[in-house]
Amino acid sequence: MKRKLAVLLSVLLCAFGLTACSSSSASDTASEDMAVYKTEAVALIDTLVNEQKTLDELKAEANDEDEAAAFEAGFSAWEDAKEELGAVSEIKEDSADVSYENQNKLYVVSVDGTFDKRDAVVTVTFDKKGNLSSVAFNGVYTLGEKMSKAALNTVMGLAVVFIMLIFISLIIYCFKFIHEAEERAAAKKKASEPAPAPAPVVEETVEEEDDLELVAVIAAAIAASEGTDPNGLVVRSIKRVGKTNNWKRA
């Protein structure tokens, strides 16, 4: 029984030793990879800032199209940052720091650099295959510069807002003149239209003339039937019965 326990203990110790060796080996490999990324990042930064190679030469050294695009982006980043940073004074290789982004599977190397106009932190990233992924030059600003920049951005933002509000107010104010112009145009159009023709005036004398003729005819008829002079007859009133004119039927 004791012998079995001793054998089991020996097996466990061997397994523990192998695990420790494997862990130590993996740690050593990771450290070597980190050192390689630091060396490659510093060399690339030095090549870019000192313009040791052209863009075509850098792209020719790329392992694939993605790395060639990353070289081109890094070259453009230095061209954009050159005016702000100035010429390079020193790339501090000892300041290189490597971190691993597990989410994006990227190795990120940050290196401090001293330039004529402003210090900067250069960030170089590598993918899981060890190919270049991106290069960025980030200027180092003092607290006062950061506050000034933030204040300037705030002032510019407020200025844009107020300018837009003033512009909108002017547009709303102009609606008044637009309405007045429309009213004047409508009035001018109405004035230019011809006036409607007046309604025909019906003369009321016609009925009166008809009544006089009727009186004369009645007087003449009565005088003829009585054998008297029509001038001696006086018709006081005439009353119409119905709408039919019996005299016209005679």
Side-chain angles (χ1 to χ4, degrees):
M1 185 65 179
K2 292 181 179 182
R3 187 177 180 180
K4 290 183 179 180
L5 290 176
V7 172
L8 180 60
L9 183 59
S10 299
V11 172
L12 291 175
L13 288 174
C14 291
F16 179 75
L18 291 174
T19 304
C21 291
S22 177
S23 177
S24 177
S25 177
S27 178
D28 293 340
T29 302
S31 299
E32 291 176 0
D33 291 341
M34 296 295 185
V36 171
Y37 289 131
K38 286 182 181 181
T39 303
E40 291 184 0
V42 171
L44 176 61
I45 296 170
D46 187 62
T47 300
L48 289 174
V49 299
N50 290 303
E51 300 179 357
Q52 297 175 356
K53 295 182 180 180
T54 64
L55 177 58
D56 291 336
E57 291 175 341
L58 289 173
K59 293 173 69 174
E61 297 176 358
N63 295 321
D64 53 29
E65 294 182 358
D66 292 338
E67 190 173 33
F71 276 125
E72 184 174 359
F75 194 87
S76 299
W78 167 240
E79 290 295 326
D80 295 338
K82 187 189 304 183
E83 183 177 354
E84 179 186 5
L85 302 179
V88 61
S89 298
E90 181 186 6
I91 300 298
K92 300 178 181 179
E93 183 176 356
D94 295 338
S95 66
D97 181 65
V98 185
S99 60
Y100 179 70
E101 293 183 358
N102 191 30
Q103 182 177 1
N104 299 319
K105 307 297 182 182
L106 295 175
Y107 290 92
V108 182
V109 184
S110 299
V111 184
D112 295 337
T114 304
F115 298 83
D116 289 346
K117 297 181 180 180
R118 182 185 303 280
D119 293 344
V121 176
V122 187
T123 303
V124 182
T125 58
F126 299 91
D127 61 18
K128 60 183 180 180
K129 296 180 181 179
N131 296 332
L132 178 68
S133 179
S134 66
V135 181
F137 293 82
N138 304 306
V140 178
Y141 298 91
T142 63
L143 180 59
E145 289 175 331
K146 292 179 180 179
M147 294 295 293
S148 299
K149 190 173 182 180
L152 180 62
N153 292 336
T154 302
V155 171
M156 290 182 63
L158 291 175
V160 171
V161 171
F162 278 109
I163 290 173
M164 292 302 298
L165 290 176
I166 293 172
F167 181 70
I168 293 173
S169 300
L170 289 175
I171 293 177
I172 295 174
Y173 181 73
C174 289
F175 285 161
K176 173 184 176 182
F177 300 101
I178 295 173
H179 180 66
E180 292 178 354
E182 290 178 348
E183 288 184 344
R184 287 195 297 268
K188 186 176 180 180
K189 182 179 180 181
K190 186 176 181 181
S192 63
E193 292 178 354
V201 179
V202 180
E203 296 182 358
E204 297 181 357
T205 58
V206 176
E207 185 177 354
E208 184 178 353
E209 291 177 356
D210 292 342
D211 290 342
L212 293 176
E213 292 177 358
L214 181 60
V215 169
V217 171
I218 293 173
I222 294 173
S225 62
E226 296 292 334
T228 60
D229 187 6
N231 294 328
L233 298 176
V234 178
V235 179
R236 301 293 183 185
S237 63
I238 298 174
K239 293 183 179 181
R240 296 180 182 273
V241 179
K243 296 182 180 180
T244 306
N245 191 346
N246 295 325
W247 294 101
K248 291 183 179 181
R249 294 190 306 173

